[in-house]
Amino acid sequence: MPPILLDFRSDTVTRPTAAMRAAMTEAVVGDDVWGEDPTAIRLQQRVAELLGKEAALFVPSGTMSNLIGVRLHCRAGDAMICESQCHIHYYEQGGTAQINGVATWPLAGINGILHVDQLESVPRDDDSHFPRVRLLCLENTHNRGGGRIQPYENMVRLCAWARDRQLRTHLDGARLWNAAVATGRTMAEWARHFDTVSVCFSKGLGAPVGSALAGPADLIREAVRHRKVLGGGMRQVGIVAAAALYALEHHVDRLADDHANARRLADGLHSIPGIHIDPTEIDTNLVYFQLDAECSTADELAERLGRRGVLMASSGRQTIRAVTHLDIAAVDVDRAIETVHEELRGRAVGDPGPLLHG
Ligand SMILES: *Cc1c(COP(=O)(O)O)cnc(C)c1O
């Protein structure tokens, strides 16, 4: 294996910059389980302010943030409505069932987007055949939906439906920063339709660790208890909270570069025979593309690219995911496109293959 040159597998692979590490070194810290870490407190206030909520809580991961979010709204035997490919249902080990005793009630969306008419199929009466549906969870941007931004008015309708039915609402906003930067709508505008919102610092923002859960002060007080029993109470956590604070200052606006690079990657891939992708569907920094079966499987192409130092993630038999982030520049995108092109050359039906140089 050559050294890894370009890692497109996820936006979680970024490493803290020298300036971020310096901010971590200088962090003023205390015991956060005793509520005495000034840097964690400052981060939580900043996140609450950005999201327009009364309070926020720093937690080790997005998975824990979602787990606590659901726990705040539901008891064992309840259920939450969600889109069937969402992270909570698909990628969190069924944790909300395992730990919270809360079932998911998944509905299949289009690219991760639900329509309000679909919600009418959810059980409404106190019929003992069904779990009690208490919560609607949405994800923005939607990871398996291809980094899709929830269309705003549609999202407002979904949340209004939930409120009319006295359901609570939780937003998995791991990449809500990307939606805010891409649309120009503030984080608070996106967040105001939800009771609780989870955001991640460890994705596109480039911090090494951490997520936050924001919501009403009484719920966040309760969330402190849940975090503790899950093992998420941390001591001098200001060391990592400082990285998140640094990221909020310096790494939010630059997400626009990731989006431009993702579009550049999609445009380049689109021109390669055997690859299917619609560049106009790339809303943010996640790029999913399909391979013709006679060209290559996703595993095979990912393996061949990996040998050349370009890492992408196989995500289904014919699907590859490539993600742009802090450590990927436009020239890296061009190099990745060229490498993919070389690896597939001559394989697609109708592709003339390598040019003969005289
Ligand atoms: C990454 C991610 C999470 C979970 O975050 P971890 O920190 O990896 O636990 C939750 N939701 C979405 C949409 C994510 O992309």
Side-chain angles (χ1 to χ4, degrees):
M1 284 283 284
I4 294 160
L5 300 173
L6 304 176
D7 195 343
F8 287 88
R9 289 171 303 168
S10 176
D11 47 8
T12 58
V13 301
T14 54
R15 269 156 292 194
T17 61
M20 182 181 276
R21 284 177 191 261
M24 296 170 76
T25 303
E26 286 153 21
V28 181
V29 297
D31 189 329
D32 188 55
V33 172
W34 293 5
E36 292 175 3
D37 189 291
T39 308
I41 291 170
R42 199 149 57 84
L43 173 64
Q44 290 168 172
Q45 285 168 346
R46 182 79 190 112
V47 171
E49 186 184 295
L50 276 170
L51 291 172
K53 299 295 183 198
E54 285 174 0
L57 185 67
F58 188 60
V59 292
S61 69
T63 299
M64 190 184 287
S65 194
N66 283 329
L67 196 55
I68 296 172
V70 173
R71 176 75 180 81
L72 291 173
H73 305 303
C74 300
R75 298 179 302 175
D78 292 346
M80 51 168 272
I81 307 167
C82 62
E83 199 281 325
S84 62
Q85 302 271 310
C86 77
H87 201 279
I88 293 179
H89 179 66
Y90 197 94
Y91 281 132
E92 295 180 11
Q93 228 189 81
T96 200
Q98 257 190 79
I99 314 280
N100 288 331
V102 175
T104 47
W105 193 278
L107 300 170
I110 298 173
N111 294 321
I113 311 302
L114 293 174
H115 189 275
V116 72
D117 292 344
Q118 294 177 267
L119 302 180
E120 292 303 332
S121 67
V122 173
R124 89 182 290 144
D125 304 315
D126 203 7
D127 176 333
S128 64
H129 290 90
F130 302 113
R132 289 193 173 112
V133 177
R134 298 278 189 210
L135 176 67
L136 171 69
C137 282
L138 299 180
E139 182 174 314
N140 198 15
T141 67
H142 198 295
N143 179 357
R144 288 186 62 83
R148 205 55 65 89
I149 299 168
Q150 294 281 338
Y152 191 80
E153 298 305 332
N154 186 66
M155 182 196 78
V156 171
R157 275 194 293 277
L158 293 169
C159 292
W161 179 93
R163 240 188 335 277
D164 285 349
R165 292 270 297 256
Q166 271 93 49
L167 305 189
R168 296 275 191 88
T169 49
H170 171 76
L171 175 63
D172 177 356
R175 296 189 180 83
L176 190 62
W177 319 101
N178 297 80
V181 167
T183 58
R185 275 186 201 277
T186 63
M187 293 291 280
E189 268 179 274
W190 286 107
R192 60 191 279 261
H193 305 283
F194 297 87
D195 294 302
T196 53
V197 179
S198 169
V199 292
C200 289
F201 308 110
S202 55
K203 305 277 166 87
L205 294 199
V209 176
S211 291
L213 180 67
D218 57 334
L219 290 186
I220 297 304
R221 265 195 304 280
E222 194 62 16
V224 176
R225 286 188 62 80
H226 299 317
R227 181 183 67 175
K228 188 69 172 72
V229 78
L230 292 172
M234 297 179 288
R235 303 295 177 171
Q236 284 71 37
V237 73
I239 302 277
V240 280
L245 271 167
Y246 180 89
L248 291 181
E249 285 285 312
H250 301 280
H251 292 174
V252 176
D253 293 342
R254 64 150 305 286
L255 292 172
D257 301 341
D258 295 345
H259 302 163
N261 284 335
R263 185 60 87 89
R264 186 183 184 95
L265 178 62
D267 285 337
L269 292 170
H270 179 65
S271 69
I272 299 175
I275 287 184
H276 298 279
I277 181 171
D278 180 351
T280 65
E281 291 192 346
I282 306 301
D283 282 355
T284 55
N285 69 328
L286 308 183
V287 177
Y288 286 80
F289 60 95
Q290 317 292 325
L291 296 165
D292 274 346
E294 70 272 13
C295 266
S296 176
T297 62
D299 282 344
E300 189 207 341
L301 181 60
E303 152 81 28
R304 290 163 69 99
L305 294 173
R307 276 193 250 123
R308 298 185 57 186
V310 176
L311 300 190
M312 293 186 179
S314 168
S315 177
R317 197 180 147 75
Q318 298 303 131
T319 305
I320 289 189
R321 187 180 86 156
V323 185
T324 56
H325 52 73
L326 195 56
D327 296 340
I328 295 288
V331 289
D332 301 329
V333 168
D334 295 343
R335 180 152 168 199
I337 294 164
E338 191 48 38
T339 309
V340 172
H341 203 168
E342 283 165 14
E343 289 302 327
L344 292 182
R345 195 156 279 161
R347 290 186 173 213
V349 174
D351 180 10
L355 295 177
L356 295 175
H357 294 281

